[in-house]
Amino acid sequence: MHSPSPHSLVDLPIRRLDRGDLVPCADLCEDRGWPRDEHRWGLLLSAGTGYGIDAPDGKGLAATCLTMPYGSDLIAVGMLLVAERYGRRGLARRLMLHVMEAVGDTPLALYATELGQPLYEDLGFSPVGRAERVGGRFGAGGPDGSPSRPNTTTRPSVTTRPAAADDLQALVRLDLPVFGADRTHLLARLPAFSDRLQVAEEDGELVGYAALWPSGQTEVVGPLIARDTVTAQALIAALAATTDRPLRADVDSRHKELLGWLLESGLKSSPGTTVMTYGIPDLPGDAARRFAPLTLATG
C-alpha cells in the first residue's frame, strides 16, 4: 500500500478530540519520545479544545493540537504534535492555520521548541520571552556535586501549607492579575489533578501557590505564582519534601535568582522554549510574580 502523498495528507479532515482520544494522544506523545502523560491529556481535553487528524493508515492519530481558552482575553496553544512517520509534510502548519481561523481575533500565546519556532514565526508569531527547563533531584547538590546550601534568606513570615477546599476563591483572586486572564476553569481542577497543591500566606492572606503533578517518572512544579523569589523558594521546598521523585519545572528566564537556586539545589538545565504571542505585544499579567506555567500547553 502506498503512503499518502503530501498533497493528500494536508487534505485529511480535522476533527475535535475528546476524552475518548486519551490513549491515541498518549500514543502520539510516546511516538515523539515524550512521556505518555494520559493524566495531563485528561486535564487538557476537559478544560481545553483538542484538534486531531486521524492517521490514514488507521493507526491512531497523525497529528494533534490543543487550545486552552481564557475567555476573550487569550488562548494558549500547545501539544502541536505530528507522528514521526508523517513529519515535515505540512500537517503542523495545517493544524495551526485551522486553529488560528477557529479562534478568530482572540490573541494567542504558546511555548515554542527550537524545532517549532520557525513555523510559528512564519505564521506571524513574535518571540516575547523564554522559559528555562530544569529537572533533577532536589537537594542532590550543585553541578559540581557539592551539597546544596540551605537557603538562609527565607523570610520567617513566609509560611506554606496544603491548600484547603475553601482556598479556591482566594487563589483565583491572587491568580487573575498575575496571569492576566481568568483561569478559574483550570484552577478548580488543580486539587484533583495535582499530587499536592500548596499555598503560601502571610497574615492570613495568600501570597503564592504552587502545584505538584505527575509526568512519567517525574513530578512537575507548576503553576508557580508567588509574591517574590523567597516565597517561590518556600513553595518549591515544601513540595519537594512530599516526593522522592525527580522534579521538573519550566521557569520564566527573567527569574534568574530562582533558577540559580534550583541549580544549586541539584536540578540541571535542559533545552528551554521560546514564549511567543500573536495579536498582542506580550503576555498579559504580572511577570514578576509569574514563575512557571501549569504546563506549557496551558500557557
Side-chain angles (χ1 to χ4, degrees), residues 32-228:
R32 301 307 316 217
W34 293 13
R36 289 183 60 83
D37 270 355
E38 289 177 42
H39 180 64
R40 175 172 54 161
W41 272 111
L43 174 75
L44 297 176
L45 291 175
S46 61
T49 302
Y51 299 90
I53 297 174
D54 290 309
D57 61 8
K59 298 177 181 177
L61 289 161
T64 59
C65 188
L66 190 286
T67 60
M68 187 64 64
Y70 301 103
S72 59
D73 297 321
L74 183 70
I75 290 177
V77 182
M79 306 308 281
L80 182 62
L81 292 169
V82 177
E84 190 168 9
R85 64 191 184 279
Y86 298 121
R88 299 190 177 278
R89 295 162 77 176
L91 290 185
R93 178 181 294 271
R94 167 95 193 287
L95 266 177
M96 277 302 299
L97 287 172
H98 180 86
V99 165
M100 293 170 76
E101 183 178 355
V103 304
D105 294 331
T106 308
L108 300 173
L110 55 80
Y111 288 80
T113 62
E114 185 178 0
L115 187 65
Q117 188 170 343
L119 169 63
Y120 301 127
E121 289 178 342
D122 195 41
L123 293 173
F125 284 78
S126 300
V128 297
R130 287 280 300 171
E132 303 299 336
R133 175 160 290 193
V134 292
R137 294 199 174 276
F138 184 84
D144 60 355
S146 60
S148 57
R149 297 191 301 274
N151 173 30
T152 58
T153 61
T154 302
R155 191 181 298 123
S157 59
V158 177
T159 59
T160 79
R161 59 171 173 79
D166 58 3
D167 286 322
L168 181 60
Q169 285 187 331
L171 200 145
V172 170
R173 283 197 302 272
L174 170 67
D175 187 81
L176 183 59
V178 178
F179 186 76
D182 184 357
R183 52 177 177 174
T184 304
H185 65 303
L186 265 183
L187 301 185
R189 290 173 163 90
L190 271 185
F193 175 72
S194 307
D195 285 341
R196 181 84 167 201
L197 182 58
Q198 196 84 358
V199 298
E201 60 184 355
E202 186 174 69
D203 300 327
E205 179 184 353
L206 256 59
V207 293
Y209 77 91
L212 191 72
W213 54 271
S215 174
Q217 299 304 309
T218 300
E219 293 276 357
V220 179
V221 177
L224 175 55
I225 300 293
R227 169 184 57 191
D228 50 30

Side-chain angles (χ1 to χ4, degrees), residues 136-143 146-149 258-267:
R137 294 199 174 276
F138 184 84
S146 60
S148 57
R149 297 191 301 274
L258 182 67
L259 282 164
W261 177 78
L262 288 168
L263 294 175
E264 287 179 0
S265 299
L267 277 63

